[in-house]
Amino acid sequence: MKTDVKETDEGYELDVDLPGFSKDEIHLDLENGYLTISTEKALEKKEEKKGKVLRQERYSGTMSRSFYVGDSLTEEDIKAKYENGVLSLAIPKNETRKVPEKKQILIEG
């Protein structure tokens, strides 16, 4: 899966090339902080009445790819869109909790 990853101020944008797949053949799972993109494609067996297939180069099989996105994200945080063979994902950055800064009070005198 050819993937472009772009960082923005809000998060990360992924564009994954998946030409020839339908939306129903693409699965997104989030488990233990890992986002997994998987696909499965089976060749349809068409009965042809005339001729025989001399060469067949269409893809058949499964693919998957995982990205660590952090433990604090949920399925609702990740936005996905599939158009023209490209799966686009918007993943927000993990909000790290800020530790309060220690401020010292100066004593005059």
Short mmCIF file of all heavy atoms in Angstrom, two decimals, residues 7-8 14 18 28 31-32 58 61 64 68 70 72 77-78 84 88 99 101:
data_model
loop_
_atom_site.label_atom_id
_atom_site.label_comp_id
_atom_site.label_asym_id
_atom_site.label_seq_id
_atom_site.Cartn_x
_atom_site.Cartn_y
_atom_site.Cartn_z
N GLU A 7 2.02 15.77 8.28
CA GLU A 7 1.75 16.29 9.61
C GLU A 7 1.23 17.72 9.51
O GLU A 7 1.77 18.53 8.78
CB GLU A 7 3.00 16.26 10.48
CG GLU A 7 2.77 16.75 11.89
CD GLU A 7 4.00 16.68 12.76
OE1 GLU A 7 5.11 16.45 12.23
OE2 GLU A 7 3.87 16.87 13.97
N THR A 8 0.16 18.01 10.23
CA THR A 8 -0.39 19.36 10.32
C THR A 8 -0.38 19.77 11.79
O THR A 8 -0.02 18.97 12.66
CB THR A 8 -1.82 19.43 9.76
OG1 THR A 8 -2.68 18.64 10.60
CG2 THR A 8 -1.90 18.92 8.33
N LEU A 14 -3.28 10.90 6.20
CA LEU A 14 -2.75 9.78 5.44
C LEU A 14 -3.54 9.62 4.16
O LEU A 14 -4.78 9.67 4.18
CB LEU A 14 -2.85 8.47 6.23
CG LEU A 14 -1.78 8.16 7.25
CD1 LEU A 14 -1.88 9.05 8.45
CD2 LEU A 14 -1.85 6.71 7.66
N LEU A 18 -5.36 2.69 -2.98
CA LEU A 18 -6.01 1.39 -3.04
C LEU A 18 -6.86 1.29 -4.31
O LEU A 18 -8.07 1.10 -4.25
CB LEU A 18 -6.89 1.18 -1.80
CG LEU A 18 -6.15 1.10 -0.47
CD1 LEU A 18 -7.12 1.15 0.70
CD2 LEU A 18 -5.30 -0.15 -0.41
N LEU A 28 -10.89 -0.98 8.47
CA LEU A 28 -10.07 -0.19 9.39
C LEU A 28 -10.35 -0.67 10.81
O LEU A 28 -11.51 -0.73 11.22
CB LEU A 28 -10.41 1.29 9.28
CG LEU A 28 -10.20 1.93 7.91
CD1 LEU A 28 -10.73 3.35 7.90
CD2 LEU A 28 -8.73 1.92 7.55
N GLU A 31 -6.84 -1.00 17.56
CA GLU A 31 -6.68 -1.89 18.71
C GLU A 31 -5.31 -1.65 19.34
O GLU A 31 -4.29 -1.63 18.64
CB GLU A 31 -6.80 -3.34 18.27
CG GLU A 31 -6.80 -4.31 19.42
CD GLU A 31 -7.04 -5.75 18.97
OE1 GLU A 31 -7.44 -5.99 17.82
OE2 GLU A 31 -6.83 -6.63 19.81
N ASN A 32 -5.31 -1.46 20.65
CA ASN A 32 -4.08 -1.24 21.42
C ASN A 32 -3.22 -0.11 20.87
O ASN A 32 -2.00 -0.21 20.86
CB ASN A 32 -3.26 -2.53 21.51
CG ASN A 32 -3.98 -3.63 22.24
OD1 ASN A 32 -4.73 -3.37 23.17
ND2 ASN A 32 -3.80 -4.86 21.80
N ARG A 58 -4.52 -9.59 -12.79
CA ARG A 58 -5.28 -8.87 -11.77
C ARG A 58 -4.90 -9.39 -10.39
O ARG A 58 -4.67 -10.57 -10.21
CB ARG A 58 -6.77 -9.01 -12.00
CG ARG A 58 -7.15 -8.34 -13.29
CD ARG A 58 -8.58 -8.54 -13.57
NE ARG A 58 -8.81 -8.11 -14.94
CZ ARG A 58 -9.90 -7.52 -15.33
NH1 ARG A 58 -10.86 -7.29 -14.46
NH2 ARG A 58 -10.05 -7.16 -16.57
N GLY A 61 -5.73 -11.44 -3.35
CA GLY A 61 -5.05 -11.72 -2.09
C GLY A 61 -5.42 -10.70 -1.04
O GLY A 61 -6.43 -9.99 -1.15
N SER A 64 -2.23 -5.70 4.35
CA SER A 64 -2.53 -4.94 5.56
C SER A 64 -1.33 -4.09 5.92
O SER A 64 -0.19 -4.40 5.56
CB SER A 64 -2.91 -5.86 6.72
OG SER A 64 -1.79 -6.56 7.19
N TYR A 68 1.04 3.15 14.38
CA TYR A 68 0.80 3.44 15.80
C TYR A 68 0.25 4.86 15.89
O TYR A 68 0.87 5.81 15.44
CB TYR A 68 2.08 3.30 16.62
CG TYR A 68 1.82 3.52 18.09
CD1 TYR A 68 1.16 2.54 18.83
CD2 TYR A 68 2.19 4.69 18.71
CE1 TYR A 68 0.89 2.73 20.17
CE2 TYR A 68 1.93 4.89 20.06
CZ TYR A 68 1.28 3.90 20.78
OH TYR A 68 1.00 4.10 22.11
N GLY A 70 -1.44 5.90 19.01
CA GLY A 70 -1.55 6.25 20.42
C GLY A 70 -2.73 5.58 21.08
O GLY A 70 -3.74 5.28 20.45
N SER A 72 -4.70 6.86 23.36
CA SER A 72 -5.80 7.73 23.80
C SER A 72 -6.86 7.97 22.72
O SER A 72 -7.90 8.53 23.01
CB SER A 72 -5.24 9.07 24.28
OG SER A 72 -4.60 9.73 23.20
N ASP A 77 -12.52 9.40 16.82
CA ASP A 77 -11.53 10.46 16.58
C ASP A 77 -10.98 10.44 15.16
O ASP A 77 -10.56 11.46 14.63
CB ASP A 77 -10.36 10.33 17.56
CG ASP A 77 -10.77 10.53 19.00
OD1 ASP A 77 -11.70 11.32 19.24
OD2 ASP A 77 -10.17 9.89 19.88
N ILE A 78 -10.96 9.28 14.52
CA ILE A 78 -10.34 9.10 13.20
C ILE A 78 -11.41 9.25 12.13
O ILE A 78 -12.44 8.58 12.17
CB ILE A 78 -9.64 7.74 13.11
CG1 ILE A 78 -8.54 7.66 14.19
CG2 ILE A 78 -9.06 7.52 11.72
CD1 ILE A 78 -7.94 6.29 14.35
N ASN A 84 -12.03 7.76 -5.53
CA ASN A 84 -11.15 7.56 -6.69
C ASN A 84 -9.93 6.69 -6.38
O ASN A 84 -8.82 6.98 -6.81
CB ASN A 84 -10.69 8.91 -7.25
CG ASN A 84 -11.85 9.76 -7.70
OD1 ASN A 84 -12.82 9.26 -8.27
ND2 ASN A 84 -11.78 11.05 -7.45
N SER A 88 -8.42 8.34 2.38
CA SER A 88 -7.88 9.50 3.10
C SER A 88 -8.30 9.40 4.56
O SER A 88 -9.47 9.23 4.87
CB SER A 88 -8.41 10.80 2.51
OG SER A 88 -8.01 10.92 1.16
N VAL A 99 1.82 19.14 32.46
CA VAL A 99 2.11 19.18 33.88
C VAL A 99 2.19 20.65 34.26
O VAL A 99 2.87 21.43 33.59
CB VAL A 99 3.44 18.46 34.18
CG1 VAL A 99 3.80 18.58 35.64
CG2 VAL A 99 3.36 17.02 33.73
N GLU A 101 3.33 24.04 35.42
CA GLU A 101 4.68 24.57 35.62
C GLU A 101 4.81 25.06 37.06
O GLU A 101 3.88 25.60 37.63
CB GLU A 101 4.95 25.74 34.68
CG GLU A 101 5.10 25.32 33.24
CD GLU A 101 5.42 26.53 32.36
OE1 GLU A 101 6.06 27.47 32.86
OE2 GLU A 101 5.02 26.49 31.21
#
